[in-house]
């Protein structure tokens, strides 16, 4: 029966439940993206509220160590969560821990917005504490959502469904920008304030402290809305059949959600014998999948250095090219509004379309070509930003920069940002699938940590007189773009280690059919042998 279950899963027609699963799993990624990237919309505001020096000619900004912690601590939590929940998903089952990650995200989102204290350092410390645990919950969503969707889907449209779950990240980024625009516009209308250079005190009304809290806490709502439906999802049939060794239960679970019925004759009741399962640290695993794991991990690592550097520090790049005015020429709410508007435009024109191009084309042209072309296109467009960088900083050239910058996001998402999420959920054995996806994703977040911490310092002007307050001279935005371009070129090369799983079953890709991971004997065959 186990083989029949797997065959039916691979050939099942696309049904309503597949789309339901995309929404249920995807809303987790909507929340993930909102929570991870909304912090970049309010860090300037946090600097004004807590670190403005009375009498200074410029608004306050977060000190370097505080800015690095606020921007990067969630990624540290995400890395830990990916490893922990990835391992737990293989040990206890996908469904068993799926709801825990969502609840952790809800509680931590609300708690982040309630970070009150009497001193700036303790407010930032409390905020970082809760954002670490927010990241921990987000980290669990990566391996679990990808694995669940891959194990539910048929082999013909599996890539599109996994990519669609991840594509909800684009809507999360877009929603963060739109919600921030709305909140800042409302507060600015109700508590209109002058620019900092006109009235330093009046440019920051006391009510501004509510703005960043509302924006951070809003991320709890979509996660909370989908918690019930996550709890209603049955365990995946592949996990039940291949790991839990209960083919009968797998068939029953599949019948409930995919409207497929598998019957068996009473006299041929199946029993599953223990199989020769190799473990993660075995020689056999590393012989069969070692280079695959290196490929998926290193590609994700290199991609996230560039992707998160660009996403988190758009505001700094836009300021450097003078698209967003200098902070002292704006009030606090106007600055939040302009930053959110700029990031929303980039998300709408480049980020979201890129995700959905992948959804529609991944099962037609394959994971390999999308990933390698995406890496190479990002390399080309980053060089296009870096070589004539001083041209882009001149008045009147901002639109050209915006177009080029948008294309780097488009090919990140119609490229390696999507495929690095999809592929690890398809090429490893069921008993290690969640673990390997978690390891690959954790390597990606290690790259994000380098990007979020490193770019803060690296992008500083080489002239000490022109650096942000408290920062040492860096290599500048232009040279940083050259470095990120190099990461993309290297990622294209490492992609050669990753197999293309288009049109193949999970068992074909993982080699589980060859290993006879599920060995079935019938009572009748045993009787015949004994006779």
């Amino acid at each position: 029966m186990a083989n029949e279950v797997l065959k039916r899963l691979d050939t099942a027609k696309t049904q309503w439940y597949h789309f339901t699963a995309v929404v249920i799993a995807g809303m987790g990624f909507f929340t993930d993206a909102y929570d991870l990237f909304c912090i970049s919309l309010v860090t300037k505001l946090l600097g004004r509220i807590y670190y403005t020096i009375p009498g200074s000619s410029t608004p306050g900004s977060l000190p370097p160590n505080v800015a690095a912690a606020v921007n990067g601590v969630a990624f540290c939590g995400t890395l830990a969560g990916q490893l922990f929940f990835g391992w737990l998903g293989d040990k206890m089952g996908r469904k068993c821990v799926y709801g825990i990650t969502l609840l952790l995200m809800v509680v931590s989102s609300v708690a982040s917005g309630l970070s009150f204290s009497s001193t700036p350092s303790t407010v930032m410390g409390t905020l970082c504490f809760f954002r670490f645990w927010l990241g921990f919950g987000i980290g669990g969503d990566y391996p679990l959502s990808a694995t669940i969707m891959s194990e539910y889907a048929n082999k013909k449209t599996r890539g599109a469904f996994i990519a669609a779950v991840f594509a909800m990240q684009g809507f999360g980024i877009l929603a963060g920008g739109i919600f921030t625009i709305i909140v800042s516009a409302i507060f600015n209308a109700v508590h209109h304030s002058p620019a900092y250079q006109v009235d330093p005190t009046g440019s920051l009304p006391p009510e501004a402290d509510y703005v960043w809290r509302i924006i951070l806490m809003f991320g709890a709502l979509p996660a909370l809305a989908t918690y019930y439906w996550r709890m209603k999802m049955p365990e995946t049939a592949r996990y039940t059949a291949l790991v839990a060794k209960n083919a009968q239960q797998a068939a029953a679970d599949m019948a409930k959600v995919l409207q497929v019925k598998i019957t068996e004759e009473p006299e041929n009741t199946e029993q599953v014998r223990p199989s020769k399962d190799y473990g993660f640290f075995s020689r056999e695993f590393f012989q069969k999948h070692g280079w695959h794991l290196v490929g998926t991990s290193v590609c994700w690592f290199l991609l996230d250095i560039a992707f998160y550097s660009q996403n988190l520090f758009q505001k700094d790049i836009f300021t450097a090219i003078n698209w967003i005015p200098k902070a002292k020429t704006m009030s606090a709410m106007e600055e939040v509004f302009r930053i959110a508007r700029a990031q929303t435009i980039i998300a709408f024109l480049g980020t979201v379309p890129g995700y959905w191009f992948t959804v529609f084309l991944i099962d037609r042209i394959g994971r390999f070509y999308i990933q390698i072309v995406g890496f190479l296109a990002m390399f080309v467009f980053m060089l296009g930003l870096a070589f004539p960088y001083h041209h882009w900083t001149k008045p009147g050239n901002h639109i050209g920069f915006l177009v080029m910058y948008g294309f780097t996001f488009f090919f990140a998402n119609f490229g390696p940002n999507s495929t690095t999420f999809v592929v690890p959920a398809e090429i490893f054995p069921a008993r290690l699938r969640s673990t390997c996806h978690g390891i690959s994703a954790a390597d990606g977040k290690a790259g994000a940590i380098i990007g979020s911490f490193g770019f803060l310092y690296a992008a500083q002007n080489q002239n000490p007189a022109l650096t942000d307050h408290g920062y040492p001279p860096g290599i500048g935005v232009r040279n940083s773009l050259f470095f990120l371009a190099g990461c993309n070129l290297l990622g294209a090369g490492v992609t050669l280690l990753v197999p293309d799983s288009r049109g193949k079953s999970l068992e074909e890709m993982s080699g589980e059919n060859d290993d006879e991971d599920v060995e079935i004997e019938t009572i009748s065959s045993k009787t015949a042998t004994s006779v």
Side-chain angles (χ1 to χ4, degrees), residues 108-422:
S108 299
S109 291
V110 174
S112 294
L114 297 177
S115 301
F116 292 100
S117 190
S118 57
T119 64
S121 59
T122 49
V123 172
M124 294 299 108
T126 307
L127 175 61
C128 288
F129 174 81
F130 287 119
R131 282 192 63 79
F132 175 86
W133 290 108
L134 172 66
F136 193 72
I138 288 172
D141 228 42
Y142 274 74
L144 294 174
S145 290
T147 301
I148 285 171
M149 200 65 244
S150 73
E151 292 179 347
Y152 270 129
N154 61 57
K155 65 181 180 180
K156 184 178 180 182
T157 59
R158 184 180 62 240
F161 280 116
I162 304 173
V165 170
F166 195 62
M168 295 297 287
Q169 196 177 65
F171 288 126
I173 296 171
L174 189 63
I178 292 172
F179 185 69
T180 302
I181 288 172
I182 294 171
V183 172
S184 60
I186 291 174
F187 270 79
N188 198 34
V190 175
H191 307 285
H192 185 68
S193 49
Y196 182 87
Q197 63 186 7
V198 175
D199 182 0
T201 303
S203 70
L204 183 67
E207 292 79 10
D209 193 49
Y210 294 114
V211 172
W212 69 271
R213 300 179 187 277
I214 292 170
I215 291 168
L216 294 188
M217 288 193 289
F218 182 76
L221 294 182
L224 190 62
T226 53
Y227 177 75
Y228 170 79
W229 298 107
R230 280 201 177 186
M231 293 299 92
K232 296 283 288 182
M233 294 178 75
E235 183 58 82
T236 69
R238 276 190 163 88
Y239 181 87
T240 305
L242 294 172
V243 183
K245 307 296 185 186
N246 190 340
Q248 210 165 14
Q249 183 62 49
D253 288 342
M254 192 172 72
K256 291 178 185 177
V257 297
L258 295 181
Q259 301 172 359
V260 175
K261 188 174 182 180
I262 301 176
T263 58
E264 62 165 328
E265 298 178 5
E267 64 272 15
N268 288 340
T269 302
E270 295 173 350
Q271 299 174 342
V272 181
R273 286 195 291 129
S275 60
K276 298 179 291 183
D277 293 347
Y278 52 83
F280 178 79
F281 293 104
S282 66
R283 178 183 298 179
E284 191 170 0
F285 172 81
F286 284 99
Q287 286 176 341
K288 293 189 174 186
H289 300 291
W291 284 113
H292 295 164
L293 186 58
V294 169
T296 57
S297 299
V298 175
C299 284
W300 209 334
F301 173 80
L302 294 168
L303 177 275
D304 275 7
I305 291 177
F307 183 74
Y308 282 92
S309 295
Q310 285 185 285
N311 255 308
L312 284 174
F313 302 106
Q314 289 180 54
K315 60 186 184 302
D316 302 300
I317 294 173
F318 295 153
T319 300
I321 66 164
N322 301 313
W323 189 31
I324 295 177
K326 298 297 182 183
K328 66 181 181 180
T329 66
M330 299 180 285
S331 68
M333 286 302 98
E334 184 184 357
E335 184 175 39
V336 172
F337 177 88
R338 285 177 176 268
I339 291 171
R341 183 180 64 181
Q343 295 193 192
T344 301
I345 291 171
I346 291 292
F348 183 76
L349 296 178
T351 303
V352 173
Y355 280 116
W356 290 96
F357 265 71
T358 299
V359 172
F360 293 124
L361 295 175
I362 191 168
D363 289 313
R364 291 178 171 85
I365 62 179
R367 290 76 162 143
F368 177 83
Y369 290 110
I370 289 177
Q371 181 162 311
I372 200 165
V373 170
F375 266 129
L376 291 175
M378 290 173 68
F379 168 72
V380 170
F381 282 110
M382 283 190 181
L383 290 183
L385 293 172
F387 274 115
Y389 177 73
H390 298 297
H391 165 78
W392 300 123
T393 62
K394 296 177 182 178
N397 297 331
H398 302 153
I399 298 300
F401 181 91
L402 179 63
V403 171
M404 295 283 286
Y405 197 63
F407 270 119
T408 64
F409 280 103
F410 175 82
F411 281 104
N413 296 308
F414 180 41
N417 193 42
S418 296
T419 53
T420 51
F421 177 80
V422 173

